[in-house]
Amino acid sequence: MRTLNVELAERSYPIHIGAGLIDAPELILPYLKTRRVAVITNDVVGPLYLERFAAGLEAQGLQVVRIVLPDGEAHKDWPTLNRIFDALLAARCDRGTTLIALGGGVVGDMVGFAAATYQRGVPFIQVPTTLLSQVDSSVGGKTAINHPLGKNMIGAFYQPRLVLADTQVLDTLPERELKAGLAEVIKYGLIRDLPFLEWIEARLDRLLARDPDALAEAVERSCRNKAEVVAADETEQGERATLNLGHTFGHAIETGLGYGEWLHGEAVAAGAIMAADLSRRLGWLSDADVARIVRVHVQAGLPVLGAPLGVARYLELMSHDKKVADGQLRLVLLKAVGRAVISAEATAEQIGATIEACCQA
Ligand code: NAD
Ligand code: GLY
């Protein structure tokens, strides 16, 4: 097992990474307030892992409330969030109950938000089961649900007590989801860790073949990057925004097409290429840099052209971005491969030209 720490003073917490960790409930016990937990999952992950995980907790003498939500990004919404509250209240869960998110980023983001708000805040633990959630969403305390006008628009910063990333459960992850997770792995290389990008470029075949050692290292190096950024800027006053490379374009795709049409990681991949193209237009990246960024996404089996929404619709959707300040759109761009900045320098014309050049006709 590999362990990292997210250093946030009294709210610091460990990230344990390793094969078979969902069968190690003893790792969870030290982080509980009482002997009552609610394990919240969905109707895809539940049949695969819920009983095994819950039985392990019960064998430790815990009382386990099981909550199963409908699967999918389209259900990251108020009605589904309410189902969590309904179940917690029906089971008379009190402030000592720890919520455990067993699933991908959708479950993790929703359970985190439920934990932040149920009875004004209860402890929670992340047990991420997708590559994307192991390398990104389970770490750092961003919790949210979607609004029809924008992704992740309703939420809270609320840190988990523990992240338990079992790399073995990635065996059952659909291929398309594995590739979507790689988009966020590549992101860390692009924004702040050139040696990691080189490592990824050399190991994409092994990652796609689910080589356990390669996956565990990718999760660890991704989480190390994320933990450093979160420790420096927990509530995204500055540097943390660079973790959103490709997300402003990507969120426009997800919202514009309807949640769930493109996977989040797919939209982030196409968005990262748009950000690279725009960085080239600003004179920061060379043609060869952009070609390299396209190549690594192609090798990972990710889309490299955005959805055909049209320039006007992209700009309208992007105007809802959380990085808009005083009405001005700020984008995460690349000063160099391995160095991201937050910039308002691109003009609407340049952004439009990028959208024209980097989206399906
Ligand atoms: P997801 O949660 O929808 O999971 C993808 C699919 O895989 C789902 O159908 C899920 O049920 C299934 N699944 C999960 N684990 C499985 C397993 N082990 N075996 C088989 N199937 C499994 O999607 P995701 O990519 O994990 O997360 C995307 C979400 O994360 C988006 O809503 C995005 O906004 C959010 N996100 C949040 C942050 C953050 O910092 N909070 C960061 C990045 C992304
Ligand atoms: N995924 C972006 C962040 O956690 O800040």
Side-chain angles (χ1 to χ4, degrees), residues 35 104-105 116 210 248 305 336-337 359:
R35 301 198 71 75
R210 302 178 201 231
T248 305
L305 284 178
V337 180
C359 292

Side-chain angles (χ1 to χ4, degrees), residues 263-342:
L263 301 182
H264 176 71
E266 294 171 341
V268 165
I273 286 157
M274 288 194 238
D277 179 85
L278 196 47
S279 304
R280 182 183 55 78
R281 287 173 199 277
L282 289 164
W284 299 339
L285 293 189
S286 66
D287 289 349
D289 289 334
V290 177
R292 177 182 185 183
I293 293 170
V294 171
R295 192 164 54 243
V296 69
H297 286 93
V298 169
Q299 281 172 352
L302 286 159
V304 290
L305 284 178
L309 301 174
V311 173
R313 181 79 174 123
Y314 265 102
L315 293 178
E316 149 64 15
L317 289 161
M318 288 163 68
S319 71
H320 291 287
D321 190 83
K322 290 191 284 300
K323 286 183 292 303
V324 170
D326 291 332
Q328 194 172 31
L329 182 61
R330 296 176 313 136
L331 291 167
V332 182
L333 299 176
L334 296 173
K335 278 275 178 183
V337 180
R339 188 155 66 90
V341 288
I342 302 139

